[in-house]
Amino acid sequence: MSDLAELAAEAYVYGFPMVVDLDEVGRFTRDGMGSVEPAPFNRFGHAAALAGPKDTFVSINNDTVYSAAQLDLSGGPLLLRVPDTGGRYYVLQFVDAWTDNFAYVGRRATGTAAGEFLLVPPDWDGEVPPGTKRITVPTTVASIVGRWACDGVHDLPAVRALQRATTLEPLGDGAPCDGLPVPESAVAEGELLFFEKLRTGMRAFPPAPTDQAYQQKFAPLGLLDSSSPYVSPSAELERALRTGHQRGKDRVEYATTHGTSPEQNGWKLTYDAFSYNLEFFEVGTVNSPQWVLQDRDASRTVRAAAARAGLWGNHGYEAAYAMAWDDEDGKPLDGAQAYTMRFEATPPVDAFWSVTMYDTPRYYLVDNPIGRYSIGDRTADLHYDRDDSLTLYLQPERPAERAAAANWLPTPPGPFRPILRMYQPHPAVFDGRYSIPPITRQEHPA
């Protein structure tokens, strides 16, 4: 049983990203997500405001207004049209069912002029209309995660107009779509249902060719069976699956907080957290050794940790993410304490940067008295010191001094984890010339 349980643990780490991804795909089509309205497959759902605590999605950003479309190409290609944004930053990120970022459309990737793109399923061999760029989608179900820069409430009408002008439509008449695979209803909730979702997802959405061979090792778990073995599993299999599920979950949690990402002043530099895609490089991606994790086994663990702490996050060249769980002395960050971050120089970017506050272990935004969930270069009335340095105050209570209050990012009660985001980062972010300041504990709140 121990060998079977260990195999189940490996299957959990391997399959966790797809299972959680497809759960979110289904949620967005049925219920939406906080500010993002629900939308059926092949139609955009748009947020009308920046994200807040009602947007219950792991590590959601508070910098951009979201648009999301869940794609089902089993009925044929889709035509995507994007408007001219007049130089405004935006990105449409394409994510397959295994959470590979396989294409980008937006300011960095394709510019800000109007454009048309044909999204086609695997092995499609039809003709692409003139003036339209082809994007091959690796799995028939996938997601477009759109982010629009927004400078505040006054800027929302302009963003809404751009959202309305971003459209999807079938090429030709289209055909009925398959939708998401449906797990066997008789499978019990919990650990067994996880493996049932993985089994149906693996059958519906074949992975990259190298992983198709890798999947064969999971045959003893029933993951390659055409019908569910989890309705009435043997006692041995059930024990192995339940034990393996917990082991795998523990490994994903550990990889999330103690992974192999380099550290700088207490920050985890998760710039490579989404570099696990090894095979699918469509419009807007960068296929270079810097952005491809060559160790396939290691990349599977990285992918699971990325899905746990930042599902649907961008490659580092689009937006570089750094995360912190501890202060500069290695002590866990906690809302009972007060902290500062002093930027001698702010992050070098072509778009913008921010620090966003999340609770743990959910990694959600948390309500606070001033409704501020992030702070950065677009925050109004920040106070810079005479030497042009910038000090941020991370604490639960409003600072007494006016200058400190202007630079206050409220912390939630209990443990928290901030993310520093750098959109369109400069090379200095990656080659070590730019250093992120530590989070320093203060004996007395400002």
Side-chain angles (χ1 to χ4, degrees), residues 14-190:
Y14 172 66
F16 173 80
M18 184 179 66
V19 171
V20 70
D21 175 87
L22 296 183
D23 281 349
E24 290 295 347
V25 168
R27 176 164 76 122
F28 272 70
T29 59
R30 294 188 310 269
D31 309 316
M33 184 277 303
S35 61
V36 180
E37 62 191 7
F41 277 110
N42 302 333
R43 188 180 303 171
F44 276 99
H46 300 296
L50 294 170
K54 293 183 179 179
D55 295 278
T56 53
F57 192 90
V58 59
S59 300
I60 195 168
N61 86 56
N62 182 244
D63 300 306
T64 63
V65 179
Y66 278 93
S67 296
Q70 309 309 322
L71 309 177
D72 186 348
L73 297 173
S74 59
L78 297 169
L79 186 63
L80 166 69
R81 292 188 174 93
V82 297
D84 188 332
T85 70
R88 178 190 296 266
Y89 176 86
Y90 83 101
V91 60
L92 300 183
Q93 168 199 4
F94 294 73
V95 190
D96 72 10
W98 291 91
T99 72
D100 290 318
N101 296 334
F102 64 89
Y104 291 94
V105 169
R107 192 173 84 170
R108 177 200 60 82
T110 57
T112 61
E116 293 187 355
F117 302 86
L118 188 67
L119 315 181
V120 307
D123 302 323
W124 186 80
D125 60 359
E127 292 188 8
V128 177
T132 301
K133 293 183 179 179
R134 171 180 172 144
I135 297 177
T136 299
V137 182
T139 52
T140 53
V141 163
S143 303
I144 300 176
V145 185
R147 301 167 175 88
W148 306 89
C150 180
D151 287 337
V153 175
H154 70 280
D155 199 25
L156 283 171
V159 172
R160 294 293 282 167
L162 293 171
Q163 290 174 317
R164 288 191 295 271
T166 305
T167 61
L168 284 167
E169 64 181 59
L171 181 68
D173 296 333
C177 296
D178 297 336
L180 291 171
V182 179
E184 171 58 59
S185 60
V187 176
E189 292 286 337

Side-chain angles (χ1 to χ4, degrees), residues 264-443:
Q264 184 184 82
N265 293 330
W267 290 86
K268 284 279 189 181
L269 306 183
T270 55
Y271 305 152
D272 290 327
F274 300 93
S275 297
Y276 45 78
N277 171 23
L278 306 186
E279 273 127 340
F280 305 114
F281 299 96
E282 294 290 321
V283 171
T285 55
V286 178
N287 184 4
S288 73
Q290 181 182 2
W291 298 109
V292 178
L293 296 174
Q294 297 297 335
D295 186 332
R296 193 75 186 194
D297 289 335
S299 73
R300 296 184 184 109
T301 301
V302 170
R303 181 178 63 184
R308 172 66 182 93
L311 182 68
W312 297 352
N314 287 293
H315 276 97
Y317 50 77
E318 183 70 44
Y321 308 116
M323 307 179 185
W325 283 264
D326 300 324
D327 65 18
E328 67 175 334
D329 296 321
K331 296 179 179 179
L333 298 172
D334 194 286
Q337 307 297 326
Y339 306 88
T340 59
M341 280 185 70
R342 186 173 186 274
F343 290 87
E344 298 289 347
T346 55
V349 295
D350 283 334
F352 47 88
W353 66 269
S354 69
V355 178
T356 309
M357 185 61 61
Y358 302 94
D359 67 3
T360 66
R362 301 178 306 169
Y363 306 129
Y364 289 172
L365 302 174
V366 180
D367 199 11
N368 64 71
I370 61 171
R372 177 181 283 178
Y373 310 107
S374 66
I375 193 168
D377 58 357
R378 296 170 303 141
T379 303
D381 301 322
L382 283 181
H383 175 79
Y384 288 80
D385 294 329
R386 291 181 179 179
D387 61 357
D388 292 329
S389 65
L390 175 67
T391 301
L392 303 183
Y393 295 84
L394 284 57
Q395 59 187 58
E397 304 296 333
R398 179 193 294 268
E401 297 181 4
R402 178 179 297 181
N407 297 358
W408 176 39
L409 181 58
T411 57
F416 64 85
R417 182 217 59 183
I419 292 181
L420 172 64
R421 287 180 169 87
M422 295 168 278
Y423 292 82
Q424 290 190 250
H426 289 185
V429 170
F430 307 115
D431 64 20
R433 284 177 291 155
Y434 179 75
S435 181
I436 303 172
I439 299 176
T440 303
R441 178 175 170 175
Q442 303 298 303
E443 291 301 324

